[in-house]
Amino acid sequence: EDEEGSQITEEIRRVLSEHARLVVDVAEVSDDDDLFGLGMTSHASVRVMLGLEETFGVEFPEEMLLRSTFESIGSIRLSLTELLATAAGD
């Protein structure tokens, strides 16, 4: 994972620790763990999404508002990387 990637991951973890209400410490969560399986509700995932939008200055388009997008740190990072690349290209 490159430096930018790990910085993104760090921010994702920070947002998750603030909003996801996981049953475990976010530091113990691997990139592939199912966040919903760890206690994140769909309500909490909306707060996570808003926190991510605020942190990264992006907006998740409707087609990304899926459970699979917010299922894991890895899937969130993938979506964010895509959004950030698009934003940079504009």
Side-chain angles (χ1 to χ4, degrees), residues 12-21 26 47-48 51 55:
I12 292 170
R13 287 178 180 276
R14 187 184 59 74
V15 171
L16 287 172
S17 68
E18 281 175 31
H19 302 291
R21 300 196 170 168
V26 76
R47 286 200 305 275
V48 166
T55 301

Side-chain angles (χ1 to χ4, degrees), residues 5-68:
S6 62
Q7 204 172 0
I8 289 174
T9 304
E10 231 169 88
E11 290 293 338
I12 292 170
R13 287 178 180 276
R14 187 184 59 74
V15 171
L16 287 172
S17 68
E18 281 175 31
H19 302 291
R21 300 196 170 168
L22 302 177
V23 294
V24 295
D25 187 330
V26 76
E28 295 169 24
V29 178
S30 86
D31 281 9
D32 303 319
D33 284 345
D34 180 348
L35 298 171
F36 292 99
L38 294 173
M40 184 169 73
T41 61
S42 53
H43 185 72
S45 73
V46 172
R47 286 200 305 275
V48 166
M49 179 199 76
L50 295 171
L52 292 167
E53 288 186 339
E54 198 177 305
T55 301
F56 291 97
V58 295
E59 204 173 301
F60 285 92
E62 213 170 307
E63 64 269 18
M64 270 192 187
L65 303 184
L66 306 166
R67 186 186 170 102
S68 57

Side-chain angles (χ1 to χ4, degrees), residues 3 31 39 45 74 81 90:
E3 198 178 321
D31 281 9
S45 73
T81 307
D90 284 349

